[in-house]
Amino acid sequence: MTVARAVGETLVRCGVDTVFGVVGSGNFHTTNAMVGAGARYVAARHEGGAATMADAYARTSGSVAALSLHQGCGLTNALTGITEAAKSRTPLVVVAAEATSPRSNFAVDQTALAEAVGAVPVRVGAAGNAVAEASRAFATARDGRRVVVLNLPLDVQGEEARAERGTVPEVPPVPVPASADVARLAAALRRARRPVFVAGRGARAYRAELVELAGRCGALLATSAVARGLFRGDPWDLDVSGGFATPLAAELIAGSDLVVGWGCALNMWTTRHGRLIADGAVVVQVDVEAGALGAQRPVDLGVVGDVGAVARAVAAVVDGEATGSRTDDVRRALATRRRWRDEPYDDAGGGGLVDPRTLTIALDDLLPAERVVAVDSGNFMGYPSMFLDVPDEHGFCFTQAFQSVGLGLATAIGAALARPDRLPVAALGDGGALMGASELETVVRLGLPMVVVVYDDAAYGAEVHHFGPDGHPLDTVRFPETDFAAIARGHGFSAVTVRDPGDLAAVGEWLAGPRATPLLVDAKVTRDRPSWWLEEAFRGH
Protein backbone atom coordinates (compact mmCIF):
# COMPACT_ATOMS: atom_id res chain seq x y z
CA MET A 1 0.00 0.00 0.00
CA THR A 2 1.37 3.43 -0.91
CA VAL A 3 1.74 6.25 1.56
CA ALA A 4 -0.90 8.28 -0.29
CA ARG A 5 -3.41 5.49 0.12
CA ALA A 6 -2.42 4.70 3.71
CA VAL A 7 -2.88 8.30 4.82
CA GLY A 8 -6.29 8.62 3.16
CA GLU A 9 -7.58 5.36 4.56
CA THR A 10 -6.24 6.11 8.03
CA LEU A 11 -8.04 9.45 8.23
CA VAL A 12 -11.34 7.83 7.24
CA ARG A 13 -10.83 4.99 9.73
CA CYS A 14 -10.22 7.57 12.46
CA GLY A 15 -13.53 9.26 11.76
CA VAL A 16 -13.40 11.60 8.75
CA ASP A 17 -16.60 11.06 6.77
CA THR A 18 -16.49 14.03 4.39
CA VAL A 19 -13.59 15.60 2.49
CA PHE A 20 -13.75 18.84 0.52
CA GLY A 21 -11.26 19.98 -2.06
CA VAL A 22 -10.04 20.68 -5.54
CA VAL A 23 -8.10 17.74 -6.96
CA GLY A 24 -4.82 18.12 -8.81
CA SER A 25 -1.94 15.80 -9.53
CA GLY A 26 -0.48 15.97 -6.03
CA ASN A 27 -3.62 15.08 -4.06
CA PHE A 28 -5.32 12.81 -6.60
CA HIS A 29 -4.36 9.47 -5.04
CA THR A 30 -4.97 10.45 -1.41
CA THR A 31 -8.40 11.87 -2.24
CA ASN A 32 -9.38 8.74 -4.12
CA ALA A 33 -8.14 6.63 -1.21
CA MET A 34 -10.44 8.51 1.15
CA VAL A 35 -13.37 8.02 -1.22
CA GLY A 36 -12.50 4.33 -1.59
CA ALA A 37 -12.49 3.99 2.20
CA GLY A 38 -16.03 5.36 2.41
CA ALA A 39 -15.70 9.14 2.73
CA ARG A 40 -17.91 11.49 0.75
CA TYR A 41 -15.94 13.81 -1.53
CA VAL A 42 -17.28 17.30 -2.24
CA ALA A 43 -15.61 19.07 -5.16
CA ALA A 44 -15.48 22.85 -4.90
CA ARG A 45 -14.66 25.25 -7.72
CA HIS A 46 -11.95 27.05 -5.75
CA GLU A 47 -9.74 25.92 -2.90
CA GLY A 48 -10.84 28.91 -0.83
CA GLY A 49 -14.43 27.76 -1.13
CA ALA A 50 -13.44 24.18 -0.29
CA ALA A 51 -11.69 25.32 2.89
CA THR A 52 -14.71 27.25 4.12
CA MET A 53 -17.09 24.43 3.22
CA ALA A 54 -14.98 22.06 5.31
CA ASP A 55 -14.89 24.56 8.17
CA ALA A 56 -18.68 25.04 8.13
CA TYR A 57 -19.31 21.31 7.83
CA ALA A 58 -17.17 20.56 10.87
CA ARG A 59 -18.83 23.33 12.91
CA THR A 60 -22.33 22.24 12.03
CA SER A 61 -21.84 18.48 12.22
CA GLY A 62 -19.61 18.48 15.28
CA SER A 63 -17.17 16.12 13.56
CA VAL A 64 -13.67 16.39 12.10
CA ALA A 65 -13.71 17.32 8.42
CA ALA A 66 -10.92 17.03 5.85
CA LEU A 67 -9.69 19.36 3.13
CA SER A 68 -7.64 17.97 0.24
CA LEU A 69 -5.27 20.31 -1.61
CA HIS A 70 -2.71 20.34 -4.40
CA GLN A 71 0.83 21.32 -3.48
CA GLY A 72 1.82 24.97 -3.33
CA CYS A 73 -0.86 27.03 -5.03
CA GLY A 74 -3.63 24.74 -3.82
CA LEU A 75 -2.65 25.53 -0.25
CA THR A 76 -2.13 29.25 -0.82
CA ASN A 77 -5.53 29.53 -2.53
CA ALA A 78 -7.13 28.02 0.58
CA LEU A 79 -5.30 30.11 3.17
CA THR A 80 -8.07 32.58 3.98
CA GLY A 81 -10.52 29.77 4.73
CA ILE A 82 -7.87 27.89 6.69
CA THR A 83 -7.11 31.02 8.72
CA GLU A 84 -10.79 31.49 9.56
CA ALA A 85 -11.02 27.88 10.69
CA ALA A 86 -7.80 28.13 12.73
CA LYS A 87 -8.97 31.28 14.52
CA SER A 88 -12.28 29.58 15.26
CA ARG A 89 -10.58 26.42 16.57
CA THR A 90 -12.41 24.22 14.07
CA PRO A 91 -11.34 20.55 14.06
CA LEU A 92 -10.06 20.18 10.51
CA VAL A 93 -7.35 18.12 8.82
CA VAL A 94 -5.88 19.78 5.72
CA VAL A 95 -4.25 17.10 3.56
CA ALA A 96 -1.77 19.05 1.47
CA ALA A 97 0.55 17.60 -1.13
CA GLU A 98 4.02 19.11 -0.81
CA ALA A 99 6.66 19.78 -3.47
CA THR A 100 10.08 18.67 -2.28
CA SER A 101 12.34 20.02 -5.00
CA PRO A 102 13.31 23.68 -4.56
CA ARG A 103 13.22 23.99 -8.37
CA SER A 104 9.54 23.09 -8.50
CA ASN A 105 7.12 25.86 -9.48
CA PHE A 106 5.00 24.68 -6.55
CA ALA A 107 7.73 24.92 -3.91
CA VAL A 108 6.77 27.03 -0.88
CA ASP A 109 7.43 26.59 2.82
CA GLN A 110 4.14 24.93 3.71
CA THR A 111 5.12 24.40 7.33
CA ALA A 112 5.77 28.12 7.73
CA LEU A 113 2.49 28.97 6.02
CA ALA A 114 0.56 26.73 8.40
CA GLU A 115 2.23 28.20 11.46
CA ALA A 116 1.72 31.75 10.20
CA VAL A 117 -2.07 31.41 10.17
CA GLY A 118 -2.36 29.50 13.46
CA ALA A 119 -2.61 25.95 12.15
CA VAL A 120 -0.58 22.98 13.39
CA PRO A 121 1.87 21.60 10.80
CA VAL A 122 2.47 17.84 10.62
CA ARG A 123 4.65 16.22 7.97
CA VAL A 124 4.86 12.65 6.75
CA GLY A 125 8.62 12.61 6.35
CA ALA A 126 9.02 8.88 5.72
CA ALA A 127 6.92 5.95 4.60
CA GLY A 128 7.42 4.18 7.90
CA ASN A 129 5.54 6.75 9.95
CA ALA A 130 2.72 7.61 7.53
CA VAL A 131 -0.05 5.86 9.47
CA ALA A 132 1.15 7.20 12.82
CA GLU A 133 1.39 10.77 11.56
CA ALA A 134 -2.07 10.64 9.97
CA SER A 135 -3.53 9.32 13.22
CA ARG A 136 -1.74 12.04 15.17
CA ALA A 137 -3.06 14.71 12.84
CA PHE A 138 -6.62 13.50 13.33
CA ALA A 139 -6.28 13.31 17.13
CA THR A 140 -4.79 16.80 17.30
CA ALA A 141 -7.66 18.21 15.25
CA ARG A 142 -10.34 16.40 17.25
CA ASP A 143 -9.01 16.72 20.79
CA GLY A 144 -7.31 20.10 20.53
CA ARG A 145 -9.96 21.65 18.28
CA ARG A 146 -7.22 22.68 15.88
CA VAL A 147 -6.65 22.95 12.17
CA VAL A 148 -3.84 20.56 11.24
CA VAL A 149 -1.99 20.91 7.94
CA LEU A 150 -0.79 17.39 7.11
CA ASN A 151 1.94 17.80 4.48
CA LEU A 152 2.47 14.83 2.14
CA PRO A 153 5.75 15.20 0.20
CA LEU A 154 5.42 14.08 -3.40
CA ASP A 155 8.51 11.88 -3.23
CA VAL A 156 7.11 10.00 -0.23
CA GLN A 157 3.53 9.51 -1.42
CA GLY A 158 4.38 6.69 -3.81
CA GLU A 159 6.56 4.74 -1.39
CA GLU A 160 5.36 1.56 0.25
CA ALA A 161 3.85 2.20 3.68
CA ARG A 162 3.94 -0.24 6.53
CA ALA A 163 1.12 -2.74 6.46
CA GLU A 164 -0.23 -2.02 9.96
CA ARG A 165 -3.63 -0.38 10.15
CA GLY A 166 -2.86 1.61 13.28
CA THR A 167 -5.28 2.31 16.08
CA VAL A 168 -7.96 4.97 16.25
CA PRO A 169 -6.84 7.51 18.87
CA GLU A 170 -8.92 7.36 22.03
CA VAL A 171 -10.84 10.44 23.13
CA PRO A 172 -9.12 11.83 26.24
CA PRO A 173 -11.18 12.08 29.45
CA VAL A 174 -13.02 15.31 30.22
CA PRO A 175 -10.91 17.43 32.61
CA VAL A 176 -12.34 17.63 36.12
CA PRO A 177 -12.66 21.20 37.43
CA ALA A 178 -10.77 22.05 40.60
CA SER A 179 -13.03 21.88 43.66
CA ALA A 180 -11.74 25.26 44.88
CA ASP A 181 -12.75 26.89 41.58
CA VAL A 182 -16.18 25.27 41.75
CA ALA A 183 -16.65 26.62 45.27
CA ARG A 184 -15.58 30.15 44.25
CA LEU A 185 -17.94 30.19 41.28
CA ALA A 186 -20.80 28.88 43.42
CA ALA A 187 -20.13 31.61 45.99
CA ALA A 188 -20.12 34.29 43.29
CA LEU A 189 -23.46 33.05 42.00
CA ARG A 190 -24.97 33.11 45.50
CA ARG A 191 -23.85 36.72 46.01
CA ALA A 192 -25.07 37.95 42.63
CA ARG A 193 -28.36 39.79 42.38
CA ARG A 194 -28.49 40.18 38.58
CA PRO A 195 -26.41 37.39 36.99
CA VAL A 196 -26.12 36.79 33.24
CA PHE A 197 -24.68 33.76 31.47
CA VAL A 198 -23.03 34.30 28.08
CA ALA A 199 -22.47 31.00 26.28
CA GLY A 200 -20.01 30.65 23.41
CA ARG A 201 -19.14 27.97 20.93
CA GLY A 202 -17.56 25.85 23.66
CA ALA A 203 -20.95 25.62 25.37
CA ARG A 204 -23.04 24.51 22.40
CA ALA A 205 -23.41 20.93 23.65
CA TYR A 206 -24.48 21.92 27.15
CA ARG A 207 -27.79 23.74 26.97
CA ALA A 208 -29.45 21.50 29.57
CA GLU A 209 -26.68 21.97 32.13
CA LEU A 210 -26.59 25.74 31.74
CA VAL A 211 -30.37 26.13 31.83
CA GLU A 212 -30.49 24.06 35.02
CA LEU A 213 -27.79 26.11 36.75
CA ALA A 214 -29.24 29.41 35.53
CA GLY A 215 -32.58 28.44 37.02
CA ARG A 216 -30.97 27.83 40.40
CA CYS A 217 -29.33 31.25 40.53
CA GLY A 218 -31.78 33.38 38.55
CA ALA A 219 -29.45 34.11 35.64
CA LEU A 220 -30.54 35.42 32.27
CA LEU A 221 -29.23 33.58 29.22
CA ALA A 222 -27.32 35.02 26.26
CA THR A 223 -24.87 33.75 23.68
CA SER A 224 -22.02 34.99 21.54
CA ALA A 225 -22.88 35.26 17.84
CA VAL A 226 -21.41 31.86 16.95
CA ALA A 227 -23.61 30.10 19.51
CA ARG A 228 -26.80 31.88 18.51
CA GLY A 229 -29.91 29.76 19.04
CA LEU A 230 -28.54 27.75 21.97
CA PHE A 231 -31.27 28.91 24.35
CA ARG A 232 -34.03 29.30 21.76
CA GLY A 233 -37.45 28.80 23.38
CA ASP A 234 -36.31 29.46 26.93
CA PRO A 235 -38.36 32.32 28.47
CA TRP A 236 -35.18 33.98 29.79
CA ASP A 237 -33.26 33.91 26.51
CA LEU A 238 -31.76 37.29 25.55
CA ASP A 239 -30.41 35.96 22.24
CA VAL A 240 -27.02 37.45 21.25
CA SER A 241 -24.74 39.57 23.41
CA GLY A 242 -22.58 42.20 21.72
CA GLY A 243 -22.97 44.40 18.68
CA PHE A 244 -25.98 42.40 17.46
CA ALA A 245 -27.75 42.61 20.84
CA THR A 246 -31.23 44.10 20.94
CA PRO A 247 -31.67 47.28 22.99
CA LEU A 248 -33.36 45.24 25.73
CA ALA A 249 -30.63 42.60 25.81
CA ALA A 250 -27.92 45.28 25.94
CA GLU A 251 -29.72 47.01 28.81
CA LEU A 252 -30.09 43.82 30.83
CA ILE A 253 -26.53 42.59 30.24
CA ALA A 254 -25.05 46.00 31.05
CA GLY A 255 -27.11 46.04 34.25
CA SER A 256 -25.75 42.70 35.45
CA ASP A 257 -23.55 42.46 38.52
CA LEU A 258 -22.10 39.07 37.45
CA VAL A 259 -21.26 37.97 33.91
CA VAL A 260 -20.19 34.36 33.40
CA GLY A 261 -18.71 33.46 30.03
CA TRP A 262 -19.17 29.74 29.35
CA GLY A 263 -16.85 28.52 26.59
CA CYS A 264 -16.88 32.11 25.39
CA ALA A 265 -13.93 34.41 24.76
CA LEU A 266 -15.80 37.54 25.95
CA ASN A 267 -14.03 39.42 23.18
CA MET A 268 -14.64 43.00 22.07
CA TRP A 269 -17.51 42.02 19.79
CA THR A 270 -19.38 40.02 22.43
CA THR A 271 -18.97 42.80 25.02
CA ARG A 272 -19.29 45.84 22.69
CA HIS A 273 -15.69 46.81 23.35
CA GLY A 274 -16.32 46.26 27.08
CA ARG A 275 -19.30 48.60 27.33
CA LEU A 276 -21.74 45.78 28.08
CA ILE A 277 -19.90 44.94 31.31
CA ALA A 278 -20.74 47.39 34.08
CA ASP A 279 -18.10 48.97 36.27
CA GLY A 280 -17.80 46.79 39.34
CA ALA A 281 -19.43 43.76 37.75
CA VAL A 282 -17.76 40.45 38.55
CA VAL A 283 -16.53 38.66 35.42
CA VAL A 284 -16.02 34.90 35.36
CA GLN A 285 -14.78 32.82 32.46
CA VAL A 286 -15.05 29.04 32.11
CA ASP A 287 -12.98 27.34 29.44
CA VAL A 288 -11.40 23.98 28.83
CA GLU A 289 -8.06 25.69 28.11
CA ALA A 290 -6.21 27.70 30.74
CA GLY A 291 -4.65 29.91 28.09
CA ALA A 292 -8.07 31.21 27.05
CA LEU A 293 -8.86 32.62 30.48
CA GLY A 294 -8.45 36.38 30.50
CA ALA A 295 -6.93 36.38 27.01
CA GLN A 296 -9.43 38.94 25.67
CA ARG A 297 -10.15 40.93 28.84
CA PRO A 298 -9.32 40.70 32.56
CA VAL A 299 -11.50 38.34 34.58
CA ASP A 300 -12.10 38.11 38.31
CA LEU A 301 -12.25 34.33 38.26
CA GLY A 302 -11.10 31.84 35.66
CA VAL A 303 -12.22 28.23 35.85
CA VAL A 304 -10.48 25.56 33.79
CA GLY A 305 -12.80 22.77 32.79
CA ASP A 306 -15.30 21.42 30.34
CA VAL A 307 -18.40 23.64 30.37
CA GLY A 308 -20.77 20.77 31.08
CA ALA A 309 -18.64 19.36 33.88
CA VAL A 310 -18.25 22.76 35.55
CA ALA A 311 -21.96 23.56 35.28
CA ARG A 312 -22.94 20.23 36.78
CA ALA A 313 -20.43 20.55 39.60
CA VAL A 314 -21.59 24.06 40.50
CA ALA A 315 -25.28 23.11 40.29
CA ALA A 316 -24.65 20.33 42.79
CA VAL A 317 -23.65 22.87 45.45
CA VAL A 318 -26.02 25.73 44.57
CA ASP A 319 -29.25 24.68 46.28
CA GLY A 320 -32.74 25.99 45.65
CA GLU A 321 -33.82 28.65 43.19
CA ALA A 322 -33.01 32.37 43.31
CA THR A 323 -34.99 35.10 41.59
CA GLY A 324 -31.93 37.02 40.45
CA SER A 325 -32.68 38.84 37.20
CA ARG A 326 -35.84 36.84 36.60
CA THR A 327 -38.40 39.41 37.73
CA ASP A 328 -41.94 39.98 36.49
CA ASP A 329 -40.82 43.22 34.81
CA VAL A 330 -38.09 41.41 32.89
CA ARG A 331 -40.49 38.65 31.91
CA ARG A 332 -42.96 41.17 30.51
CA ALA A 333 -40.23 43.05 28.67
CA LEU A 334 -38.92 39.86 27.06
CA ALA A 335 -42.42 38.90 25.99
CA THR A 336 -42.69 42.06 23.87
CA ARG A 337 -39.12 43.11 23.00
CA ARG A 338 -37.08 39.92 22.73
CA ARG A 339 -36.34 40.24 18.99
CA TRP A 340 -35.02 43.00 16.79
CA ARG A 341 -38.20 42.89 14.75
CA ASP A 342 -40.08 43.95 17.89
CA GLU A 343 -38.30 47.32 17.81
CA PRO A 344 -40.21 50.01 15.88
CA TYR A 345 -38.52 51.63 12.89
CA ASP A 346 -39.33 53.94 10.01
CA ASP A 347 -39.26 52.00 6.76
CA ALA A 348 -36.66 53.68 4.52
CA GLY A 349 -37.63 51.83 1.34
CA GLY A 350 -38.87 53.40 -1.87
CA GLY A 351 -37.62 54.54 -5.23
CA GLY A 352 -36.79 51.00 -6.30
CA LEU A 353 -34.91 50.06 -3.12
CA VAL A 354 -36.14 47.92 -0.24
CA ASP A 355 -35.36 48.47 3.45
CA PRO A 356 -33.17 45.51 4.56
CA ARG A 357 -35.17 45.25 7.80
CA THR A 358 -38.48 44.98 5.98
CA LEU A 359 -36.95 42.54 3.50
CA THR A 360 -35.53 40.26 6.19
CA ILE A 361 -38.63 40.29 8.38
CA ALA A 362 -40.70 39.27 5.35
CA LEU A 363 -38.24 36.47 4.54
CA ASP A 364 -38.33 35.31 8.14
CA ASP A 365 -42.10 34.95 7.88
CA LEU A 366 -41.90 33.16 4.53
CA LEU A 367 -39.08 30.68 5.06
CA PRO A 368 -39.59 27.43 7.00
CA ALA A 369 -38.59 27.56 10.66
CA GLU A 370 -36.29 24.55 10.22
CA ARG A 371 -33.41 26.35 8.56
CA VAL A 372 -29.65 26.77 8.74
CA VAL A 373 -28.51 30.33 8.12
CA ALA A 374 -25.02 31.30 6.92
CA VAL A 375 -23.98 34.95 6.75
CA ASP A 376 -21.15 36.67 4.90
CA SER A 377 -19.33 39.74 6.20
CA GLY A 378 -20.21 43.36 5.50
CA ASN A 379 -22.43 46.27 6.46
CA PHE A 380 -25.56 44.21 5.75
CA MET A 381 -24.70 41.25 7.97
CA GLY A 382 -26.62 42.28 11.07
CA TYR A 383 -29.96 42.04 9.30
CA PRO A 384 -29.93 38.33 8.39
CA SER A 385 -28.00 37.52 11.56
CA MET A 386 -30.65 38.97 13.85
CA PHE A 387 -33.88 39.32 11.86
CA LEU A 388 -33.84 35.71 10.61
CA ASP A 389 -34.71 33.40 13.50
CA VAL A 390 -32.94 30.06 13.85
CA PRO A 391 -34.36 26.96 15.56
CA ASP A 392 -31.35 26.12 17.74
CA GLU A 393 -27.56 26.32 17.99
CA HIS A 394 -27.24 24.16 14.85
CA GLY A 395 -29.21 26.67 12.79
CA PHE A 396 -26.61 29.44 12.49
CA CYS A 397 -23.15 29.15 10.95
CA PHE A 398 -21.07 32.30 11.37
CA THR A 399 -17.57 32.22 9.84
CA GLN A 400 -16.46 35.65 11.04
CA ALA A 401 -13.36 35.13 13.23
CA PHE A 402 -11.14 36.50 10.44
CA GLN A 403 -13.83 38.91 9.18
CA SER A 404 -13.15 38.09 5.56
CA VAL A 405 -15.69 39.05 2.92
CA GLY A 406 -16.57 36.28 0.49
CA LEU A 407 -16.97 33.20 2.70
CA GLY A 408 -20.75 33.21 3.02
CA LEU A 409 -21.83 31.03 0.11
CA ALA A 410 -19.24 28.34 0.83
CA THR A 411 -20.25 28.46 4.50
CA ALA A 412 -23.84 27.76 3.51
CA ILE A 413 -22.80 24.80 1.35
CA GLY A 414 -20.82 23.18 4.15
CA ALA A 415 -23.61 23.73 6.66
CA ALA A 416 -26.22 22.43 4.22
CA LEU A 417 -24.33 19.18 3.74
CA ALA A 418 -24.09 18.73 7.51
CA ARG A 419 -27.84 19.37 7.98
CA PRO A 420 -29.68 18.06 4.91
CA ASP A 421 -32.90 18.06 6.95
CA ARG A 422 -33.03 21.88 6.97
CA LEU A 423 -33.47 24.61 4.39
CA PRO A 424 -30.07 26.27 3.83
CA VAL A 425 -30.14 30.07 3.63
CA ALA A 426 -27.09 32.03 2.48
CA ALA A 427 -27.10 35.77 3.18
CA LEU A 428 -24.50 37.70 1.16
CA GLY A 429 -23.58 41.26 0.32
CA ASP A 430 -22.94 42.15 -3.29
CA GLY A 431 -19.16 42.17 -2.77
CA GLY A 432 -19.08 38.77 -1.10
CA ALA A 433 -21.49 37.31 -3.65
CA LEU A 434 -19.15 38.21 -6.51
CA MET A 435 -16.08 36.93 -4.63
CA GLY A 436 -17.68 33.53 -4.08
CA ALA A 437 -19.74 33.31 -7.28
CA SER A 438 -17.83 30.29 -8.61
CA GLU A 439 -19.53 28.16 -5.97
CA LEU A 440 -23.00 28.91 -7.37
CA GLU A 441 -22.28 26.06 -9.75
CA THR A 442 -21.45 23.85 -6.76
CA VAL A 443 -24.86 24.55 -5.21
CA VAL A 444 -26.59 23.50 -8.42
CA ARG A 445 -24.37 20.47 -9.02
CA LEU A 446 -24.97 19.17 -5.49
CA GLY A 447 -28.72 19.66 -5.82
CA LEU A 448 -28.98 21.79 -2.70
CA PRO A 449 -32.43 23.42 -2.28
CA MET A 450 -30.76 26.61 -1.08
CA VAL A 451 -32.07 30.15 -0.81
CA VAL A 452 -29.34 32.71 -1.51
CA VAL A 453 -30.19 36.29 -0.56
CA VAL A 454 -27.95 39.03 -1.94
CA TYR A 455 -28.21 42.39 -0.16
CA ASP A 456 -27.05 44.59 -3.03
CA ASP A 457 -26.15 48.15 -2.02
CA ALA A 458 -23.81 48.53 -5.04
CA ALA A 459 -20.83 49.20 -2.80
CA TYR A 460 -18.53 47.98 -0.11
CA GLY A 461 -20.99 49.48 2.32
CA ALA A 462 -18.84 49.35 5.45
CA GLU A 463 -16.19 51.51 3.78
CA VAL A 464 -18.78 53.90 2.36
CA HIS A 465 -20.24 54.54 5.79
CA HIS A 466 -16.89 54.55 7.55
CA PHE A 467 -15.15 57.11 5.36
CA GLY A 468 -18.04 58.95 3.73
CA PRO A 469 -19.01 61.14 6.73
CA ASP A 470 -15.49 62.62 6.76
CA GLY A 471 -15.78 63.71 3.15
CA HIS A 472 -13.41 61.19 1.62
CA PRO A 473 -13.92 60.27 -2.06
CA LEU A 474 -15.79 56.98 -2.39
CA ASP A 475 -15.30 56.08 -6.05
CA THR A 476 -13.04 53.17 -5.10
CA VAL A 477 -15.77 51.46 -3.04
CA ARG A 478 -18.88 52.13 -5.12
CA PHE A 479 -19.97 50.09 -8.15
CA PRO A 480 -22.82 49.87 -10.64
CA GLU A 481 -25.70 47.62 -9.67
CA THR A 482 -25.08 44.01 -10.67
CA ASP A 483 -27.79 41.79 -12.12
CA PHE A 484 -27.30 38.93 -9.68
CA ALA A 485 -30.54 37.31 -10.83
CA ALA A 486 -29.12 36.92 -14.33
CA ILE A 487 -25.84 35.54 -13.00
CA ALA A 488 -27.75 33.02 -10.90
CA ARG A 489 -29.95 31.90 -13.78
CA GLY A 490 -26.83 31.36 -15.83
CA HIS A 491 -25.66 28.85 -13.23
CA GLY A 492 -29.02 27.05 -13.13
CA PHE A 493 -30.77 28.88 -10.27
CA SER A 494 -34.27 30.22 -10.16
CA ALA A 495 -34.07 33.93 -9.35
CA VAL A 496 -36.11 36.97 -8.43
CA THR A 497 -35.15 40.64 -8.22
CA VAL A 498 -36.65 42.45 -5.22
CA ARG A 499 -37.08 46.22 -5.17
CA ASP A 500 -40.28 46.25 -3.14
CA PRO A 501 -41.73 43.85 -0.51
CA GLY A 502 -44.40 42.81 -3.01
CA ASP A 503 -41.70 41.25 -5.19
CA LEU A 504 -41.21 38.57 -2.53
CA ALA A 505 -44.37 36.79 -3.67
CA ALA A 506 -42.11 34.86 -6.03
CA VAL A 507 -40.24 33.44 -3.01
CA GLY A 508 -43.51 32.07 -1.66
CA GLU A 509 -44.21 30.47 -5.03
CA TRP A 510 -40.79 28.81 -5.04
CA LEU A 511 -41.29 27.51 -1.52
CA ALA A 512 -44.67 26.06 -2.45
CA GLY A 513 -43.27 24.32 -5.51
CA PRO A 514 -40.92 21.37 -5.95
CA ARG A 515 -37.78 23.47 -5.23
CA ALA A 516 -36.11 21.63 -8.07
CA THR A 517 -33.51 24.37 -8.43
CA PRO A 518 -31.98 26.65 -5.80
CA LEU A 519 -33.34 30.21 -5.53
CA LEU A 520 -31.42 33.48 -5.53
CA VAL A 521 -33.10 36.63 -4.21
CA ASP A 522 -31.44 39.69 -5.76
CA ALA A 523 -32.46 42.37 -3.25
CA LYS A 524 -31.70 45.98 -4.13
CA VAL A 525 -31.47 47.49 -0.65
CA THR A 526 -31.36 51.02 0.70
CA ARG A 527 -27.87 52.40 1.06
CA ASP A 528 -28.00 55.85 2.68
CA ARG A 529 -26.95 54.90 6.21
CA PRO A 530 -24.93 52.21 8.00
CA SER A 531 -26.55 49.33 9.82
CA TRP A 532 -26.95 49.73 13.56
CA TRP A 533 -24.24 47.21 14.40
CA LEU A 534 -21.74 48.99 12.15
CA GLU A 535 -22.41 52.28 13.90
CA GLU A 536 -21.71 50.49 17.16
CA ALA A 537 -18.51 48.96 15.80
CA PHE A 538 -17.24 52.35 14.62
CA ARG A 539 -17.44 53.61 18.19
CA GLY A 540 -14.77 51.06 19.10
CA HIS A 541 -12.25 52.27 16.48
Side-chain angles (χ1 to χ4, degrees), residues 273-289:
H273 301 276
R275 290 190 296 276
L276 286 187
I277 297 180
D279 293 340
V282 175
V283 180
V284 179
Q285 189 179 359
V286 179
D287 201 281
V288 72
E289 293 188 2

Side-chain angles (χ1 to χ4, degrees), residues 231-295:
F231 301 119
R232 181 67 70 244
D234 189 280
W236 303 106
D237 176 25
L238 303 181
D239 207 356
V240 173
S241 173
F244 290 166
T246 64
L248 177 61
E251 174 188 332
L252 292 170
I253 295 168
S256 172
D257 61 352
L258 172 66
V259 176
V260 185
W262 297 91
C264 175
L266 294 176
N267 61 28
M268 61 181 178
W269 304 113
T270 305
T271 66
R272 285 193 180 177
H273 301 276
R275 290 190 296 276
L276 286 187
I277 297 180
D279 293 340
V282 175
V283 180
V284 179
Q285 189 179 359
V286 179
D287 201 281
V288 72
E289 293 188 2
L293 302 177

